[in-house]
Amino acid sequence: MITTLKFLFMRNIFLGACLVLAQWVTGQKIILHCGRLIDAKSGLVLKEMSVLVEGNKIIGLQKGYLPGNGTDRIVDLKNKTVMPGLIDCHVHLEDEISSKDFEKQFKLNPADYAYLSIGYAEKTLMAGFTTVRDVGGNGVNISLRNAINKGLVKGPRIYTAGKIIGTTGGHADPTNGLRFDLMGDPRAVDGVVNGADECRKAVRQRYKEGSDLIKITASGGVLSLEKDGSGAQFTEEEIRVIVETAKDYGMKVAAHAHGAEGIKRAIRAGVSSIEHGTYMDDEAIELFKKYGTWYVPTIIAGKSVADSAKNPGFFPDIIAAKAVAVGPLIQATFGRAYKAGVKIAFGTDAGVYAHGKNWMEFIYMTEAGMPPLEAIRSATIHAAELIGIADKTGSIETGKFADIVAVDGDPLTNIQTMGSMKFVMKAGVIYKNE
C-alpha cells in the first residue's frame, strides 16, 4: 500500500512537471533577459538571468538567456539593472502642492480632483512605482483605485485609506482656518472624531466607502492651519479602539505622527506604521523595536516643504513656520532610526512635492547612512510586508505578480540611476521600454 501511494505521489509530481514544461514550450510568454537582477528577498544581485512572464504572473526564473520558442516576446534588458516594481507606502494621488492650496477647497469639485489624479497616477507608474499606499484624500482615491483596477486609466496598484481620520481641530479637520460660521461641526463621516464611539463609527464608515486601510493623525501636522505641528491629538484609548475596530474589518492602521508623545501612544495602541516620525526620541525608538512597528520616513516631503516655505507667500505664515521647523529634521531622524534597527518601509508623501520624483527619497536615505541595496529593499520586499502583500509582489519570484522595473547603470554604486527608469512592467503589461 505504501509503495503504491509513493508511486502515485511520484507520478503526480512527474506529470505536474511535464505540464509546466509543456506550458513553457507551447504557451506565449514574455521573456526578460536581465543583465543584473536584484533579488530583494535575499539581498543578492544575480547576473545573466531570464524571467518568464505569462499573463500577469511570473512563471519562472532561470540562469542564462533563454531563447524562447519562436512565439515568445523577448525583451533585452542585458545592459540594465532589473528589480521588483517599486512600492511607495505614503502618497496622495489626488492633488499636488501649490501656493493655491487653501483656495482649492472652495474652487475644485471632486470631479476636478479626479481628472488631476489621472495624470499623477500615470507619472507615478512611469517612475517605476507599480504599487502605492494612498494615505488620505477626499475619497477620489477610492474611485481612482477602482478605475486603475478596471484598466480605464494607467497607474500603480493602489491601496487606499480614503479619508483620513483626525480629531476636532486636529491635522485632519477640514474646517481648520475657516470663518466661525463656516467651520460647522464635522463628524465621523467627515473623518473627524472625539471619543471611542465616534472612532468606531469612522472606521466602519471608511470600510463602507471601500478603504483598504485606516489613516489617523496621531499628532499635529505641517500643512494644516493649526498652530501646533507636533502635539498629540488622540488619546491612547481612542487609537486602541480604532486599531481594534480596523482589525475586525481586516484593515491595518497608519498613523501620521511628528511629535514623540503621539508616536508613543500610537505604537502602544497597536498601529502598523508611523508616518514621518520627526521628533521620535530614544524611548520611541525602543517602542518601535518592541512592538515591531514600521517607520515610513518621507524625507523628501520634509525637504520640499522647507524649501517651499522660503518663497514668500507660498504658504500662510502659520504653515511656513512649521515647515521651516519640522522639514529639515526628518532626514536626521531617519538616520538615527535606521542605525538603531527600526523596521523601515519606503514612503515619500508624494503630492507634498511633485509627483513622479518619488525616487529622490533613495538619495536622501543613502545620504543618511542606509546602503543603496537596503534602500531598494525598503521599497520592495519590506514595503510589501508592511502593506500585507508580500505573497503577491515585492520580489521577483514564481507565482507573484509580474511587477518588474529596470534602470540604466548600477544603482548600488550610483543611486542617482533610480531616476532613470527605462522599463516598467505591472502585472505583466509593459508600460515603458526605452
Side-chain angles (χ1 to χ4, degrees), residues 249-266:
Y249 286 85
M251 296 186 288
K252 296 185 177 185
V253 178
H256 157 108
H258 288 289
E261 180 59 27
I263 293 169
K264 295 171 193 176
R265 291 182 189 181

Side-chain angles (χ1 to χ4, degrees), residues 33-67:
H33 289 170
C34 310
R36 293 165 52 86
L37 188 149
I38 294 177
D39 182 346
K41 198 166 185 178
S42 69
L44 299 174
V45 179
L46 310 176
K47 295 184 178 181
E48 297 185 357
M49 298 292 295
S50 291
V51 180
L52 289 81
V53 175
E54 190 167 41
N56 64 357
K57 298 287 183 66
I58 298 167
I59 63 167
L61 289 85
Q62 186 165 322
K63 178 68 176 175
Y65 299 136
L66 296 180

Side-chain angles (χ1 to χ4, degrees), residues 88-106:
D88 192 328
C89 292
H90 192 125
V91 304
H92 302 279
L93 287 177
E94 292 180 4
D95 200 7
E96 188 170 276
I97 196 168
S98 77
S99 60
K100 305 294 184 182
D101 277 354
F102 187 64
E103 63 186 70
K104 284 179 184 177
Q105 61 185 310
F106 300 104

Side-chain angles (χ1 to χ4, degrees), residues 12-257:
N12 287 341
I13 290 178
F14 174 75
L15 291 174
C18 290
L19 178 61
V20 170
L21 181 60
Q23 290 174 336
W24 281 18
V25 170
T26 63
Q28 188 175 31
K29 302 176 294 295
I30 298 175
I31 302 176
L32 308 179
H33 289 170
C34 310
R36 293 165 52 86
L37 188 149
I38 294 177
D39 182 346
K41 198 166 185 178
S42 69
L44 299 174
V45 179
L46 310 176
K47 295 184 178 181
E48 297 185 357
M49 298 292 295
S50 291
V51 180
L52 289 81
V53 175
E54 190 167 41
N56 64 357
K57 298 287 183 66
I58 298 167
I59 63 167
L61 289 85
Q62 186 165 322
K63 178 68 176 175
Y65 299 136
L66 296 180
N69 64 10
T71 63
D72 299 325
R73 178 180 178 182
I74 295 179
V75 179
D76 185 357
L77 302 175
K78 295 175 184 175
N79 295 322
K80 294 177 172 55
T81 299
V82 179
M83 66 192 83
L86 304 174
I87 303 172
D88 192 328
C89 292
H90 192 125
V91 304
H92 302 279
L93 287 177
E94 292 180 4
D95 200 7
E96 188 170 276
I97 196 168
S98 77
S99 60
K100 305 294 184 182
D101 277 354
F102 187 64
E103 63 186 70
K104 284 179 184 177
Q105 61 185 310
F106 300 104
K107 293 183 175 181
L108 298 186
N109 296 301
D112 296 314
Y113 286 106
Y115 279 111
L116 289 170
S117 72
I118 293 171
Y120 300 146
E122 185 168 354
K123 283 183 180 179
T124 302
L125 178 62
M126 294 307 151
F129 290 84
T130 55
T131 303
V132 299
R133 197 176 58 154
D134 188 304
V135 286
N138 61 26
V140 164
N141 43 22
I142 294 173
S143 295
L144 177 64
R145 174 201 64 195
N146 295 344
I148 291 171
N149 289 346
K150 292 175 182 177
L152 300 177
V153 297
K154 296 177 183 178
R157 185 178 299 105
I158 295 175
Y159 295 87
T160 180
K163 292 181 182 178
I164 302 171
I165 299 174
T167 56
T168 295
H171 184 52
D173 187 333
T175 64
N176 282 333
L178 302 186
R179 289 193 335 240
F180 291 162
D181 60 316
L182 295 178
M183 280 185 178
D185 186 20
R187 312 299 289 178
V189 68
D190 308 300
V192 180
V193 299
N194 298 279
D197 287 344
E198 290 184 1
C199 288
R200 289 189 189 94
K201 184 173 183 178
V203 171
R204 291 165 179 166
Q205 182 68 33
R206 296 292 86 83
Y207 174 80
K208 177 180 178 179
E209 293 163 353
S211 295
D212 302 300
L213 68 141
I214 298 298
K215 163 78 174 299
I216 66 169
T217 54
S219 84
V222 175
L223 299 180
S224 56
L225 292 168
E226 52 172 344
K227 63 181 179 180
D228 183 3
S230 62
Q233 294 188 343
F234 276 93
T235 67
E236 192 168 324
E237 177 195 6
E238 288 173 325
I239 302 174
R240 185 167 285 108
V241 166
I242 288 171
V243 170
E244 290 173 353
T245 308
K247 184 177 180 181
D248 287 344
Y249 286 85
M251 296 186 288
K252 296 185 177 185
V253 178
H256 157 108

